[in-house]
Each structure stands twice: as structure tokens, then as C-alpha cells.
Amino acid sequence: MEPKYRQVADELARRLQAGRYAYGSRLPGHSALAREFGVSSITSNRALAELEARHLVQRVERAGTFALPPV
């Protein structure tokens, strides 16, 4: 079974690819994602870091996480 952070990252990646978050739009913060997915904020933060490593989002300190255009 995949780690929880990867499950959350994969679901968010599916949402990004489906266009749920438009290019440049802000994704929910890691606290909101933790509540939505029933995981710790550490897990949701790691999921967002995974999406950044996949070049699907850009994280800006104190501003949020933003959807990047499809490659």
C-alpha cells in the first residue's frame, strides 16, 4: 500500500489534471487538506511537496501553493 502522503498527492494530481484548479489558482492550504483527507498536517504538507517535485504546483512561502500550467 502506498504511503498516505502519496495517496493525497496522487488525488490532488488527478484534480489538477482534470482542471479542478485552473492555472495560477491557489490550492487549499495543508491544514485544510489535512482535514479534508483525514490526515495530519505533516502528511498533507509532504503531499504538497511531492506535487512541487512533480512540477505540478509552485509553493510560495507565506502566499500558498499555486497550480502550474500542464507541461
Side-chain angles (χ1 to χ4, degrees), residues 5 8 10 17 20 26-30 33 43-44 49 55-56 60 70:
Y5 81 90
V8 173
D10 289 345
Q17 291 166 348
R20 182 162 174 190
R26 186 173 177 213
L27 275 67
H30 66 89
L33 291 172
T43 300
S44 61
H55 305 289
L56 296 174
V60 180

Side-chain angles (χ1 to χ4, degrees), residues 4 33-40:
K4 286 187 179 187
L33 291 172
R35 284 190 300 276
E36 178 183 346
F37 288 99
V39 297
S40 72

Side-chain angles (χ1 to χ4, degrees), residues 58 61 67-68:
Q58 178 181 16
E61 191 172 345
L68 290 176

